[in-house]
Amino acid sequence: MAGNDDDLKLLGAWPSPYVMRPRIALNIKSLGYDFLEEQFGTKSELLLKSNPIYKKIPVLIHDGNPISESLIIVQYIDENWTSSGPSILPSHPYDRAIARFWANYIDDKWFPSLRGIAAAQGEDAKKAATETVIEGLVLLEDVFKNCSKGKKFFGGDKIGYLDIALGCFLGWLRVTEKLNSVNLLDESKTPGLYKWAEDFCADSAVKDVMPETDKLAQAAKVILAKIRAQAS
């Protein structure tokens, strides 16, 4: 994207779900930015300079100042451009706290369980890992009902903070289903989340940055092969 008065650069890589988060937030706020692609297995000099502590993507550079960690970047975008586009975080302090709590759950508990399916050795381990992921989705179904209050998104009528926190992983969820022949997001078990996922991926802020499943699956195979080669 281009055409923004602010000097905005985003360091990232298209397969990364964490990089999707600031990209969606920037789209919601209709902010132009330069997307500087990082290659898997290498770290650019700009990345190392911009995020010397964790040395990870994404990093947003705004007027020369770097901001790291995906959800912190989303909050920064929302707080710094209050007059551009709809608010991303809920307006009430309690609702903001609840959204942050469940975003932490997604990062700390649910997504690691999704990655656990690929790491599982044997059918019993894969079945147990799959059940853990589905249990988490059933829990998040209730969270969706409580937060959405009958509307399309966790954030209400528009995509909000918790939508971004969970929605960025939908591409990898689909890849996990495809590569492991499992069904995770089941309309019969989690009808609210099933419809939410369709609405989220179809939203104008999301559809151009959500990776296509087959392309992401090919990238996943390459990444896994490199990780295994490095481990051996």
Side-chain angles (χ1 to χ4, degrees):
M1 295 177 67
N4 193 63
D5 292 336
D6 293 279
D7 181 14
L8 279 171
K9 299 180 178 67
L10 182 66
L11 307 185
W14 69 265
S16 169
Y18 300 104
V19 173
M20 271 195 69
R21 289 171 169 174
R23 295 185 78 184
I24 294 169
L26 289 163
N27 287 346
I28 288 171
K29 295 291 187 176
S30 299
L31 297 171
Y33 63 97
D34 293 323
F35 186 52
L36 306 181
E37 190 92 18
E38 293 281 327
Q39 299 303 315
F40 178 77
T42 64
K43 298 181 190 293
S44 70
E45 194 172 316
L46 181 58
L47 174 60
L48 296 174
K49 177 185 174 183
S50 302
N51 189 3
I53 304 301
Y54 292 108
K55 303 177 177 63
K56 294 192 305 184
I57 54 174
V59 178
L60 181 72
I61 303 175
H62 178 211
D63 289 337
N65 298 312
I67 304 99
S68 303
E69 296 297 306
S70 63
L71 290 175
I72 292 174
I73 297 171
V74 170
Q75 292 177 61
Y76 177 82
I77 292 167
D78 193 40
E79 292 168 357
N80 198 67
W81 287 279
T82 55
S83 60
S84 299
S87 294
I88 296 172
L89 281 149
S91 58
H92 194 280
Y94 177 77
D95 293 334
R96 284 201 300 274
I98 293 300
R100 286 174 174 139
F101 174 87
W102 286 112
N104 286 338
Y105 164 79
I106 290 162
D107 281 358
D108 293 344
K109 298 288 187 182
W110 183 78
F111 186 56
S113 73
L114 182 68
R115 289 188 301 192
I117 294 176
Q121 300 292 320
E123 287 304 313
D124 289 344
K126 182 188 285 190
K127 182 180 178 182
T130 300
E131 288 173 354
T132 300
V133 172
I134 293 172
E135 286 170 4
L137 289 171
V138 171
L139 177 61
L140 289 167
E141 172 85 359
D142 286 336
V143 177
F144 174 71
K145 288 176 183 175
N146 292 333
C147 291
S148 67
K149 300 177 177 63
K151 296 182 178 178
K152 284 174 66 172
F153 299 110
F154 284 92
D157 292 318
K158 303 285 186 180
I159 286 176
Y161 182 78
L162 196 46
D163 297 284
I164 294 172
L166 180 59
C168 73
F169 294 122
L170 286 172
W172 282 98
L173 183 144
R174 289 168 175 166
V175 166
T176 303
E177 290 180 325
K178 180 182 179 69
L179 296 182
N180 295 277
S181 301
V182 294
N183 186 25
L184 300 171
L185 193 57
D186 191 314
E187 188 174 11
S188 64
K189 293 179 180 176
T190 51
L193 279 186
Y194 189 89
K195 180 64 169 63
W196 163 82
E198 291 182 343
D199 291 334
F200 181 84
C201 293
D203 192 88
S204 59
V206 176
K207 60 184 180 181
D208 290 336
V209 297
M210 178 64 70
E212 196 272 326
T213 302
D214 288 339
K215 182 182 178 183
L216 189 57
Q218 290 302 315
K221 291 176 183 176
V222 172
I223 292 169
L224 286 171
K226 288 182 178 179
I227 291 172
R228 286 167 184 155
Q230 290 169 357
S232 61

